[in-house]
Amino acid sequence: MKAIIVGGGIGGLTTALMLHARGIACEIYEQSEKIQELGVGINTLPHAIKELAGLDLLDRLDAVAIRTEELFYLTRHGQQVWHEKRGLSAGHDVPQFSIHRGRLQGVIHDAVIERVGAAAVHTGCRLGAYHQDEGGVTAYFFNRSGVHVASTKGDILIGADGIHSKVRQTLFPEEGPPCWNGLMLWRGAHDWPAFLTGRSMIIAGGLNAKAVIYPIAKGGSGQQLTNWAIMARIGDGSKPPPRREDWSRVGLREELQPFIDGFAIPQVDFAALIDATPEFWEYPCCDRDPLPYWSSGRVTLLGDAAHPMYPVGSNGASQAILDARALGDALVRAEHPRQALVAYETQRVPMTADIVASNRRGGPEGVIDVVEELAPKGFDDIDTVLSFKDREAIVRGYAARAGFAVR
């Protein structure tokens, strides 16, 4: 069996490792001229790290990431709504990692080159079209100028080509553009003195106005490379986003500045960190409605191509990794590739659709929204606003739906 993987991001690269580990040949076709380490910080949850550990990547991740130890939810005024341990400290068998997105991709990419081989990774290849028959799938790739550069045939084709997936567009030509909820996300990272345990993550504010801060790597002069983000509503979502969804678009300080003073984070000088960051990025918060199915014949979807979701709950990259494991297992169990793809989507479509819907409501961070709505001016005792049991139901309920609750 041979798989054609369209897209060389975290999902596509992890899929290649999963298939290789199961004796399934594959080739990756990435539209960028070079697979490079872009983006800023993300969190990768224990259920996904468990899969990467199974691929013998744990030590490599440890070398470039921070093991997240605890998480605080605060109101935008800095009052604590929830605190919990994370990763190993919460009882998981493996860590939760706070990591630079590009470094995570780099670790997986290096492993692909070592194990699958450099010849299996093709860059500068945009999918133009594909066709399938009883014998397999043939895909045709073009460069940025529209010149045909490669054709290949395989037993299956996996669309891991992101929120603007060409494979998804081919399967669902009437779907249209991604859905924008009116929220803009600005993200950056800069060396900064450690705060709290040095392994702490803080989220302040609900879905309409949120600040996030956590370390993602060792920095210079004994500091830590510290990731920060602000999400704020700049529209009602009735119109298209002002700029195309792209993690590598440089943000404008004059657009971000009005929102910085809206947050009080006692544990760290959040405004000073942002002011010291020379360059940061913007991203309109977009997703897509869940699909009824991902597969057609020998073609399927994976990661953001299958289930793009709002960046809450630390689940985007994690769910792509879980997709890769599920697809690899389905392919080695089934007698025919088409049977495997049906089994794969039967397992993954309902769970990811539930997460997409939950993230639209704020995910586990929705507990902050509830508290801010009930006590907009603050509180003296959080339990008189929302009981521990009710707060726990929101946070733990999401963990159970997303598959990372401690068992």
Side-chain angles (χ1 to χ4, degrees):
M1 185 183 297
K2 174 189 168 185
I4 304 166
I5 301 171
V6 182
I10 292 169
L13 292 168
T14 304
T15 300
L17 290 182
M18 290 290 182
L19 298 185
H20 176 75
R22 289 157 179 76
I24 299 173
C26 63
E27 289 186 317
I28 299 173
Y29 289 83
E30 162 60 36
Q31 66 175 350
S32 299
E33 297 299 323
K34 180 181 179 182
I35 296 179
Q36 52 189 333
E37 299 184 0
L38 300 174
V40 281
I42 60 172
N43 267 264
T44 314
L45 300 174
H47 57 344
I49 295 300
K50 181 178 180 180
E51 303 302 341
L52 297 182
L55 294 168
D56 296 322
L57 298 179
L58 189 58
D59 289 344
R60 300 188 190 194
L61 293 171
D62 249 331
V64 298
I66 296 291
R67 292 189 173 203
T68 311
E69 183 178 71
E70 62 178 350
L71 169 65
F72 291 88
Y73 287 157
L74 312 177
T75 67
R76 73 189 70 179
H77 305 299
Q79 291 187 287
Q80 184 172 312
V81 172
W82 183 261
H83 171 258
E84 67 180 17
K85 296 295 185 179
R86 282 285 173 133
L88 295 174
S89 297
H92 289 282
D93 296 332
V94 294
Q96 171 176 328
F97 280 120
S98 295
I99 188 170
H100 190 287
R101 174 185 287 270
R103 292 178 183 174
L104 172 60
Q105 183 175 350
V107 165
I108 303 170
H109 176 250
D110 288 347
V112 169
I113 297 300
E114 293 169 9
R115 301 174 193 180
V116 186
V121 181
H122 309 271
T123 56
C125 294
R126 294 170 174 262
L127 179 67
Y130 65 82
H131 76 261
Q132 58 179 314
D133 52 35
E134 286 301 313
V137 185
T138 302
Y140 305 93
F141 297 92
F142 300 80
N143 64 18
R144 290 182 178 271
S145 301
V147 177
H148 177 257
V149 292
S151 298
T152 189
K153 186 171 183 178
D155 296 280
I156 61 170
L157 185 144
I158 303 163
D161 47 341
I163 191 170
H164 298 290
S165 168
K166 174 67 174 180
V167 181
R168 180 171 177 141
Q169 180 185 16
T170 304
L171 293 175
F172 297 90
E174 304 300 322
E175 183 180 29
C179 308
W180 181 50
N181 63 359
L183 293 169
M184 183 66 77
L185 178 66
W186 293 272
R187 306 183 70 171
H190 190 64
D191 284 359
W192 201 250
F195 61 92
L196 295 173
T197 67
R199 299 176 182 273
S200 304
M201 179 177 181
I202 297 173
I203 298 177
L207 187 62
N208 289 318
K210 179 183 303 183
V212 182
I213 181 172
Y214 53 88
I216 56 176
K218 294 178 181 178
S221 303
Q223 297 183 325
Q224 293 179 300
L225 180 60
T226 302
N227 183 82
W228 60 264
I230 286 182
M231 185 161 66
R233 186 169 294 282
I234 65 170
D236 61 8
S238 62
K239 299 179 181 179
R243 289 169 282 272
R244 180 181 171 92
E245 308 77 26
D246 188 340
W247 282 108
S248 57
R249 182 178 294 277
V250 176
L252 302 177
R253 195 168 296 274
E254 59 268 27
E255 293 182 357
L256 171 62
Q257 193 65 44
F259 301 103
I260 297 175
D261 294 335
F263 300 97
I265 303 178
Q267 297 86 348
V268 65
D269 193 339
F270 187 65
L273 169 61
I274 295 175
D275 186 59
T277 306
E279 189 174 62
F280 55 90
W281 289 265
E282 66 173 29
Y283 179 77
C285 292
C286 296
D287 69 358
R288 290 185 182 274
D289 292 334
L291 296 172
Y293 59 89
W294 296 348
S295 305
S296 176
R298 295 172 176 267
V299 177
T300 196
L301 301 171
L302 184 144
D304 280 352
H307 47 72
M309 56 187 67
Y310 294 156
V312 299
S314 305
N315 248 296
S318 294
Q319 291 301 320
I321 292 167
L322 297 180
D323 289 346
R325 169 62 189 268
L327 179 56
D329 287 349
L331 286 167
V332 295
R333 290 172 182 161
E335 294 182 1
H336 193 281
R338 286 178 296 187
Q339 179 187 4
L341 299 190
V342 171
Y344 157 66
E345 70 173 25
T346 298
Q347 176 185 349
R348 296 296 295 156
V349 167
M351 172 175 280
T352 55
D354 192 28
I355 297 171
V356 169
S358 181
N359 283 12
R360 287 179 173 180
R361 300 189 296 268
E365 299 147 36
V367 68
I368 306 173
D369 289 285
V370 175
V371 170
E372 288 189 332
E373 182 176 352
L374 294 173
K377 296 183 179 181
F379 51 82
D380 295 322
D381 182 356
I382 182 61
D383 290 314
T384 64
V385 179
L386 191 66
S387 71
F388 178 86
K389 182 179 180 181
D390 288 338
R391 284 177 282 142
E392 183 181 46
I394 297 172
V395 178
R396 304 292 189 215
Y398 182 86
R401 285 192 297 274
F404 65 96
V406 178
R407 293 182 176 86

